């Protein structure tokens, strides 16, 4: 969903990015607010691009207009048309769609309506799961092919409904987390042996999903917010070190402004192998320097706490 899924308020035009108020390129907006694990010591949220309450809805609520541009001949077509308010400038192969009948896509406005119909907050992990299953390439947007792919993965391709998708997303999250999310009884047939593989795929996909166009490094605010969200779907639960990691990064102590793909991928290995207290951390391993710096800072902090006892 193209997970611009920080779509909570939106009606205020003063909140619209200047690029939308005028006619330039629309600014990408990511999906999640800063969670509890990323709060400052006084309980206030750190500044981030993915703060709760940010919302940018474009395209309006002209469902009749979207329907007039789409030949809604099947149940899926009608479902897609009810949320597709924006013209898609390219088809799935990258060809121009400036033909007599424009291709449509679900933009930020449609995403907001879809989330409302699903009964989900736009920053819910299940919205990110939907974007992953769709293999969405753009935040705050779905092409027809992407949504069709996601519906098929959730066994909702023939006649998708909001209720059906919600139940399927609940089941998928339950299947990945063993019911920790408190969703409905799982009807998802995801094999237990495939759960870890599925999470790793979700985790690696999230890096590309969060990248700005043309960039190879994930901006730090985006990286921390995606880390905070994606681990909600981790089969073994949110890693104990995640809160300390996010707090350290957001404090500015790391001195970095972006996260490389290598660091992103290796962080998953790090939290899987080093334990909740870093007891299994091996300095001789080839960890990214950012992780080494974090371990050093966390060790110093722990030693200082011992001295203060």
């Amino acid at each position: 969903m193209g997970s611009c899924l920080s779509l909570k308020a939106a009606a205020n035009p003063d909140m619209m990015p200047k690029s939308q108020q005028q006619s330039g390129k629309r600014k990408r907006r990511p999906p999640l607010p800063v969670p509890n694990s990323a709060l400052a010591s006084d309980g206030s949220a750190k500044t981030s691009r993915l703060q709760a309450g940010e919302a940018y809805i474009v395209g309006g609520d002209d469902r009749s207009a979207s329907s007039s541009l789409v030949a809604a001949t099947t149940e899926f077509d009608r479902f897609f048309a009810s949320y597709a308010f924006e013209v898609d400038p390219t088809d799935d192969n990258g060809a121009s769609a400036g033909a007599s009948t424009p291709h449509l896509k679900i933009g930020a406005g449609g995403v907001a309506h879809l989330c409302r119909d699903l009964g989900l907050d736009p920053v819910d992990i299940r919205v990110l799961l939907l974007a992953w299953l769709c293999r969405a390439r753009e935040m705050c947007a779905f092409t027809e092919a992407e949504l069709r792919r996601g519906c098929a993965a959730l066994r909702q391709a023939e006649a998708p409904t909001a209720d059906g998708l919600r139940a399927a997303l609940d089941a998928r999250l339950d299947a990945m987390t063993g019911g920790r999310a408190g969703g409905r009884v799982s009807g998802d047939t995801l094999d237990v042996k495939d759960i870890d593989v599925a999470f790793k795929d979700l985790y690696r996909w999230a890096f590309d999903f969060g990248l700005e166009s043309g960039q190879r490094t994930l901006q730090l605010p985006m990286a921390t917010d995606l880390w905070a969200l994606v681990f909600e779907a981790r089969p073994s639960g949110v890693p104990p070190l995640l809160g300390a990691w996010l707090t350290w990064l957001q404090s500015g102590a790391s001195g970095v402004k972006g996260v490389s793909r290598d660091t992103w991928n290796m962080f998953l290995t790090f939290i899987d192998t080093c334990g909740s207290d870093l007891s299994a951390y091996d300095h001789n391993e080839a960890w990214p320097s950012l992780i080494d710096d974090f371990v050093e800072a966390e060790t110093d902090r722990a030693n200082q706490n011992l001295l203060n006892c």
Side-chain angles (χ1 to χ4, degrees):
M1 221 161 242
S3 141
C4 147
L5 306 168
S6 357
L7 297 165
K8 267 187 172 173
N12 185 351
D14 294 332
M15 294 177 64
M16 297 287 284
K18 291 181 179 179
S19 58
Q20 291 182 28
Q21 293 176 18
Q22 300 167 6
S23 59
K25 180 179 178 182
R26 188 171 72 251
K27 184 176 181 180
R28 279 176 59 153
R29 284 283 172 180
L32 0 149
V34 178
N36 292 337
S37 59
L39 296 178
S41 58
D42 62 357
S44 61
K46 302 281 188 179
T47 302
S48 164
R49 283 206 295 149
L50 298 183
Q51 299 233 348
E54 288 190 31
Y56 299 91
I57 294 181
V58 297
D61 187 10
D62 190 357
R63 299 193 180 206
S64 60
S66 69
S67 297
S68 68
L69 292 174
V70 176
T73 58
T74 68
E75 290 297 323
F76 176 85
D77 290 336
R78 284 188 281 274
F79 183 77
F80 178 78
S82 64
Y83 301 107
F85 309 149
E86 295 185 20
V87 173
D88 185 359
T90 62
D91 62 24
D92 232 32
N93 295 317
S96 173
S100 57
T101 302
H103 292 71
L104 295 183
K105 70 177 181 178
I106 299 175
V111 168
H113 285 292
L114 178 59
C115 289
R116 186 181 310 151
D117 290 348
L118 291 171
L120 292 174
D121 190 301
V123 301
D124 192 283
I125 179 60
R126 283 160 288 197
V127 177
L128 188 67
L129 289 180
L130 179 59
W132 164 58
L133 293 170
C134 290
R135 292 289 168 177
R137 294 172 298 183
E138 179 185 356
M139 287 193 169
C140 303
F142 287 125
T143 66
E144 180 180 351
E146 287 170 349
L147 186 62
R148 191 182 297 276
R149 184 182 301 123
C151 287
L154 292 166
R155 297 173 175 81
Q156 299 289 310
E158 295 299 321
T161 64
D163 288 344
L165 276 180
R166 170 59 189 271
L169 287 168
D170 287 346
R172 177 54 59 100
L173 183 59
D174 275 357
M176 293 184 70
T177 63
R180 285 186 294 101
R184 304 171 190 175
V185 175
S186 176
D188 199 304
T189 58
L190 189 68
D191 292 335
V192 173
K193 63 183 175 59
D194 293 332
I195 292 175
D196 285 333
V197 173
F199 176 73
K200 288 176 181 177
D201 185 67
L202 166 66
Y203 181 85
R204 292 190 172 96
W205 166 86
F207 180 87
D208 288 311
F209 188 57
L211 285 176
E212 295 284 355
S213 179
Q215 299 297 309
R216 295 183 178 181
T217 300
L218 204 56
Q219 293 297 305
L220 187 60
M222 173 67 81
T224 55
D225 288 332
L226 282 173
W227 265 317
L229 186 71
V230 74
F231 279 112
E232 291 183 26
R234 184 175 179 240
S236 56
V238 177
L241 284 172
L242 182 62
W245 170 254
L246 295 178
T247 298
W248 179 70
L249 288 174
Q250 292 173 329
S251 72
S254 69
V256 302
K257 295 182 179 180
V259 174
S260 69
R261 185 184 301 275
D262 180 59
T263 298
W264 177 270
N265 289 339
M266 287 298 290
F267 182 71
L268 182 59
T269 304
F270 169 72
I271 57 98
D272 281 342
T273 60
C274 291
S276 60
D277 57 359
L278 299 175
S279 58
Y281 181 77
D282 185 353
H283 288 275
N284 294 318
E285 294 287 340
W287 297 108
S289 59
L290 187 64
I291 291 178
D292 284 330
D293 291 346
F294 165 70
V295 172
E296 181 179 353
E298 192 65 8
T299 301
D300 289 345
R301 186 186 66 80
N303 291 338
Q304 187 62 45
N305 288 342
L306 289 175
L307 291 174
N308 293 336
C309 289

